Amino acid sequence: MPLDINLSALYRIQGQEPGEMPGVLAVHPPKTAARGREQDRLIVYLLLAGNAAVSTSEYRKLAEVVADVFYQTPRAVTSALRAAADSLNKTLLDRNMSTSGRGQYTLAWMVLAVLRESQCIFSINGPMHAYWFGADGSRHTFEPSISGKGLGSSQAVNIHYAQADLAANDLLLFCGRLPNAWSTPLESTQSSSFEAMRRRLTSLTTEDLNAVLIQTVAGNGSINFFKTGTDTTPQVDEPPEPLPESQPAPDSNSELPAIQESESTPEAHLLQPSAYSIPPQKEEALPISKPAADPLAHLPHKTAPREFPASIPRAKPQPTEEGNAEREVSAPPAPAVEQTPKIETPSEPREPSPQAKQAAKAIVNVMQGVRHGSATLGERIRNFLPRLLPASESPDAPSVSPGALMGFLAILIPLIVVTIAVVVYMRYGRNEQYDVYYNQALQLKTQALALTNPVEQRIAWENVLLNVERAEAHNVTSDTIALREEAQANLDSLLGIVRMQFNPAFGSKPGIDISRMAATENDIYMLNAANGEILRALPSGNGGFELDRTFDCKPGVNNNAGPLVDILALPITNIYGASVLGIDAVGNLVYCRPGGTPQTGLLPAPDTNWSRITSFILDAGNLYVLDAPARAVWVYPGKEAAFVDRPYFFFGQQTPSQDVIDFLVSGDEMYLLHADGRISRCNFSRVNASASKCEDPLNRINPFPAYADMDLFAAAHFTQIIFAAPPDPSILLLDSEGQNVMRFAPRTLELQNQFQPKTGSGNPVPRAPAAAVAVSPDHVLYLAVDGQVYFAVNMP
């Protein structure tokens, strides 16, 4: 017997509980479904994050296209789920690339649930939570290291597949951002009624909610929607009737028949949640629709998504609300003893000056003169041209046609007029606009120099840069270049930013999808995310690097290792003579050295076996292996890079959460980077291992007063944590989106400074997320951006 689906949105925003939640779509298979999709009912739960505004219609269209692609993809259900995710990823990636110049981006977290009879197969993209509650128990699915940080950030699509066998009265809960008050109750909850579960979850917290609760009941395969606060007695809906023969099938652009709903259906009326700083957009609700006929017409044929190994992603932080638009500047209230000069917000260009008016009059006079003289010029040309032609001396030669001559003049004269007008505008009009913005920038510079409040100074210098940029859109001069450099230097000083000159490592971009890097004094080792292979680059004669084509470090070739997930550089004193070490997800080690063949080793499995290895670190000869899904770090005592003894568990009573994406170790202290950007620290007790404890979260200190009105760390997108070598040991955090490496003091986590590429035309680094970072022992900083490696020497 097919199961009916009762679906309810748990949606609260700013204390209000509107019944219509964005990003939810549930559909029956259309008549045009591909082979294998005829019996699949699909639930789409889409959550957009980022700082780019998305309209309701765009939000809904994204969900509909996902459903369309799913139903038009034949064969295995996992293939259809991947094709749908790939389609959305490509759409958002193209959109993000087009808006990267304005600093805007959109990421998608998504759950696709496919119900076929009593079986539910679902795919998860991004750090989503999925709960199943049945008569025999419950299960929580949350694997951010596998599901990735969401769609739209890179070409690699990370998907976590899961499956559940459903029975009548089972419950499913999908949630993008789990409230703290839900964590413990959900772990101990057993199957209960639909209404009881919904009321309990909404009453546990007053935070914003964005989740979907689903119940399966015996029925005929219908889908029922319920709003918050409505009667949840299921109203059984019949599956939609097929279209009559005389009625044409809907095309890809037409509206589709709606699914039958109970009272107050939460259609896919897609308002952006406030949790992601995208302003709500009021738009009339649209009916829930079935997928369109053929959404794959625009996609290339015979293509398949690349299979990348799961990387170490993280969730998008909540972006700030500032964006790249010009900020309105207002000074905070000043103390009574001192009157702070007020910053003037740049105004629109003023009325034209007398010189501009004279230039406009000159243009009009020139155009009138040209028109007046065109007739005289045309008459003289008509009289003069025949004398230059041979026809004037030979009566038998053909004569010039008056019509052809007039046509020639009709083209020539307008061209002369347009050319003169353009020259006059380029000389007078553009210079006038340039003067307006440049003078405003000079005024703001004077005000910035007079200010004493660091926040006001920061805003003033930002506005100076904004007006210089507008002036340079009309004309780039030595004055604007000098003013830009002065403003940028003052702003960087306020924010603790150190600008470094990065250079491309390779003459031509190798196009490698780099997920990790390790550096020695001479070499760079790169982990190719596409196949899990380690590549080596060595210095070339032109001051850059070149790939070592003879270096062999491929997993699976003459060894049993799978795609590698992490790498590290080895000290030269090891029994294998290796220079780099890699590890796969199940504990296979690969030792590689230049001119040699890979050697493998297998770590002794811990008592609980491996769930999935995501990272590893070497410290004081010991190997620390992170198994994030199992919430474990195992320590292997080693000697000369050989690890044959059984491991011991690092943590005591406290264990980290499953969202750890990277970590580092210094002595008995371990620092853990979580998917939401927070840092936790755990201390190992050698006296009593069970007494080891963790501090989560660890407070980070920003000593720069110019950030007093903003949260620098919340706006960052941290993806990697590494340890900088002595003599100035420090912790480095990579802000991927900002191409920013923040340096912190080890114990206090006080921000010391930030390393960023230089601005202007001398910066070769493209505007794209940084995929990996590494620091060599001689303090060379490496960044992997858009398939190329960039390096900066003499890191302070």
Side-chain angles (χ1 to χ4, degrees):
M1 176 71 67
L3 296 172
D4 284 359
I5 300 173
N6 294 335
L7 188 147
S8 177
L10 305 180
Y11 185 40
R12 180 187 298 146
I13 178 169
Q14 298 178 355
Q16 302 298 318
E17 296 187 2
E20 301 167 347
M21 187 180 110
V24 179
L25 187 68
V27 289
H28 289 287
K31 293 182 62 176
T32 58
R35 183 183 300 273
R37 304 282 78 78
E38 302 92 339
Q39 304 299 322
D40 294 341
R41 289 175 291 169
L42 177 67
I43 298 174
V44 180
Y45 174 36
L46 179 63
L47 193 59
L48 297 184
N51 59 6
V54 181
S55 67
T56 302
S57 58
E58 289 175 322
Y59 206 145
R60 176 178 178 79
K61 186 63 177 177
L62 291 175
E64 288 181 343
V65 169
V66 166
D68 294 342
V69 175
F70 172 81
Y71 280 115
Q72 296 301 324
T73 305
R75 298 183 295 277
V77 65
T78 53
S79 299
L81 292 171
R82 175 169 286 276
D86 279 335
S87 174
L88 181 57
N89 184 69
K90 182 179 183 302
T91 299
L92 293 180
L93 188 60
D94 292 343
R95 175 179 179 146
N96 290 340
M97 293 299 292
S98 66
T99 60
S100 62
R102 302 190 299 272
Q104 297 179 351
Y105 65 92
T106 303
L107 295 184
W109 300 359
M110 182 172 67
V111 175
L112 298 180
V114 181
L115 286 87
R116 182 184 300 174
E117 298 294 339
S118 62
Q119 184 184 48
C120 178
I121 300 173
F122 53 92
S123 64
I124 303 176
N125 302 100
M128 290 284 219
H129 295 261
Y131 288 87
W132 166 80
F133 306 98
D136 299 330
S138 62
R139 183 169 68 248
H140 178 204
T141 302
F142 179 61
E143 302 288 351
S145 60
I146 301 176
S147 58
K149 60 185 176 182
L151 302 173
S153 62
S154 68
Q155 292 182 348
V157 176
N158 297 311
I159 304 179
H160 177 55
Y161 297 105
Q163 177 178 325
D165 292 326
L166 302 178
N169 299 319
D170 283 0
L171 296 175
L172 288 172
L173 176 66
F174 299 137
C175 183
R177 189 174 295 275
L178 191 69
N180 295 330
W182 283 11
S183 300
T184 302
L186 286 176
E187 293 296 337
S188 58
T189 298
Q190 299 297 324
S191 181
S192 62
S193 70
F194 187 52
E195 177 65 15
M197 175 67 79
R198 188 173 67 173
R199 289 181 177 175
R200 182 186 184 194
L201 293 177
T202 54
S203 62
L204 280 174
T205 179
T206 58
E207 299 178 36
D208 286 356
L209 302 179
N210 193 302
V212 176
L213 181 64
I214 301 168
Q215 181 193 40
T216 54
V217 295
N220 58 359
S222 63
I223 300 175
N224 306 297
F225 284 87
F226 301 97
K227 279 187 179 181
T228 302
T230 61
D231 181 15
T232 58
T233 304
Q235 300 180 10
V236 179
D237 299 327
E238 296 294 334
E241 295 294 334
L243 294 174
E245 293 296 331
S246 59
Q247 183 176 349
D251 57 32
S252 59
N253 296 322
S254 63
E255 288 294 331
L256 304 167
I259 295 177
Q260 296 182 9
E261 308 165 7
S262 63
E263 181 183 0
S264 303
T265 300
E267 306 97 339
H269 169 227
L270 305 166
L271 300 178
Q272 188 64 9
S274 64
Y276 302 99
S277 300
I278 302 179
Q281 306 198 19
K282 298 180 180 179
E283 191 168 316
E284 293 185 3
L286 301 176
I288 290 183
S289 305
K290 286 187 178 179
D294 184 11
L296 297 179
H298 68 286
L299 299 177
H301 296 287
K302 299 181 180 179
T303 61
R306 290 193 299 164
E307 293 291 340
F308 293 140
S311 60
I312 308 176
R314 56 145 290 180
K316 278 281 183 184
Q318 297 182 6
T320 60
E321 298 178 356
E322 295 188 21
N324 285 351
E326 177 181 1
R327 275 166 284 191
E328 293 294 327
V329 182
S330 58
V337 296
E338 180 181 354
Q339 188 67 27
T340 304
K342 184 177 179 181
I343 305 173
E344 296 180 3
T345 303
S347 58
E348 293 300 320
R350 58 179 181 268
E351 289 295 322
S353 63
Q355 293 84 355
K357 294 181 179 180
Q358 292 177 2
K361 290 180 180 180
I363 295 175
V364 173
N365 293 333
V366 169
M367 296 181 65
Q368 290 177 346
V370 170
R371 291 174 182 174
H372 178 72
S374 62
T376 305
L377 179 63
E379 181 65 25
R380 291 182 179 180
I381 291 177
R382 282 195 298 271
N383 296 333
F384 178 70
L385 285 180
R387 301 176 184 177
L388 301 178
L389 301 176
S392 60
E393 299 178 0
S394 176
D396 297 330
S399 61
V400 178
S401 169
L405 182 59
M406 293 301 296
F408 171 74
L409 294 176
I411 296 174
L412 177 62
I413 293 174
L415 285 177
I416 295 174
V417 174
V418 171
T419 301
I420 295 174
V422 170
V423 170
V424 172
Y425 170 74
M426 295 295 291
R427 183 167 183 177
Y428 296 101
R430 287 175 61 89
N431 285 342
E432 176 66 20
Q433 294 295 314
Y434 164 85
D435 289 339
V436 169
Y437 291 119
Y438 179 69
N439 290 331
Q440 287 181 352
L442 289 178
Q443 293 174 7
L444 287 168
K445 170 192 168 182
T446 303
Q447 293 180 3
L449 293 174
L451 293 172
T452 57
N453 185 296
V455 174
E456 296 173 359
Q457 289 178 324
R458 187 201 81 221
I459 297 174
W461 287 117
E462 287 173 345
N463 283 320
V464 171
L465 288 173
L466 182 60
N467 279 274
V468 169
E469 181 179 350
R470 290 176 172 177
E472 289 184 335
H474 299 282
N475 192 11
V476 179
T477 65
S478 58
D479 291 334
T480 60
I481 294 174
L483 184 55
R484 174 186 289 277
E485 292 176 351
E486 180 184 1
Q488 190 68 66
N490 282 281
L491 183 61
D492 291 344
S493 176
L494 288 169
L495 303 181
I497 296 175
V498 177
R499 298 285 175 180
M500 303 188 68
Q501 179 59 57
F502 282 85
N503 299 297
F506 305 103
S508 58
K509 186 168 67 174
I512 306 167
D513 189 3
I514 301 172
S515 61
R516 284 293 195 220
M517 290 192 298
T520 65
E521 290 186 355
N522 297 315
D523 301 339
I524 314 172
Y525 295 96
M526 301 158 287
L527 178 59
N528 189 348
N531 55 15
E533 174 188 1
I534 301 177
L535 304 174
R536 175 179 179 244
L538 63 161
S540 62
N542 57 4
F545 291 80
E546 60 182 354
L547 288 176
D548 183 0
R549 303 294 180 181
T550 64
F551 186 71
D552 181 14
C553 197
K554 298 182 179 67
V557 179
N558 301 323
N559 58 70
N560 296 324
L564 303 180
V565 298
D566 201 2
I567 62 174
L568 56 83
L570 285 176
I572 58 175
T573 56
N574 63 85
I575 61 175
Y576 298 96
S579 58
V580 65
L581 175 64
I583 191 171
D584 68 3
V586 294
N588 287 301
L589 299 176
V590 179
Y591 299 84
C592 301
R593 61 185 177 88
T597 57
Q599 302 182 61
T600 59
L602 180 63
L603 290 175
D607 296 335
T608 58
N609 214 334
W610 299 112
S611 178
R612 185 179 181 277
I613 295 173
T614 55
S615 184
F616 72 150
I617 284 290
L618 186 66
D619 182 72
N622 296 330
L623 192 68
Y624 296 77
V625 182
L626 171 64
D627 186 350
R631 303 168 65 178
V633 172
W634 298 96
V635 186
Y636 288 84
K639 183 178 182 181
E640 297 182 349
F643 310 99
V644 296
D645 296 332
R646 296 189 63 80
Y648 62 86
F649 193 60
F650 182 88
F651 305 107
Q653 300 292 336
Q654 291 179 280
T655 57
S657 56
Q658 290 180 319
D659 62 346
V660 177
I661 59 175
D662 201 8
F663 77 124
L664 63 83
V665 176
S666 177
D668 291 334
E669 289 186 336
M670 179 180 296
Y671 295 87
L672 304 163
L673 173 61
H674 298 261
D676 59 3
R678 75 182 192 277
I679 303 292
S680 58
R681 179 173 60 199
C682 298
N683 296 298
F684 179 75
S685 174
R686 297 186 178 274
V687 178
N688 182 7
S690 62
S692 301
K693 58 182 180 179
C694 299
E695 183 180 356
D696 184 13
L698 191 62
N699 186 37
R700 287 165 294 195
I701 302 172
N702 187 348
F704 297 96
Y707 286 111
D709 65 334
M710 59 185 295
D711 189 344
L712 171 66
F713 306 131
H717 177 200
F718 295 122
T719 57
Q720 193 175 345
I721 182 171
I722 61 176
F723 200 74
D728 186 16
S730 54
I731 295 175
L732 303 180
L733 282 175
L734 172 62
D735 173 14
S736 174
E737 299 294 336
Q739 295 180 354
N740 184 17
V741 178
M742 300 186 189
R743 179 161 66 181
F744 295 84
R747 294 196 57 82
T748 62
L749 275 193
E750 181 177 0
L751 179 65
Q752 296 177 332
N753 46 34
Q754 307 175 66
F755 301 106
Q756 295 183 13
K758 286 188 174 181
T759 59
S761 58
N763 176 28
V765 185
R767 294 182 62 89
V773 64
V775 179
S776 68
D778 54 347
H779 295 271
V780 178
L781 179 62
Y782 297 91
L783 282 180
V785 180
D786 193 27
Q788 172 70 284
V789 177
Y790 300 88
F791 68 97
V793 299
N794 300 325
M795 176 182 174

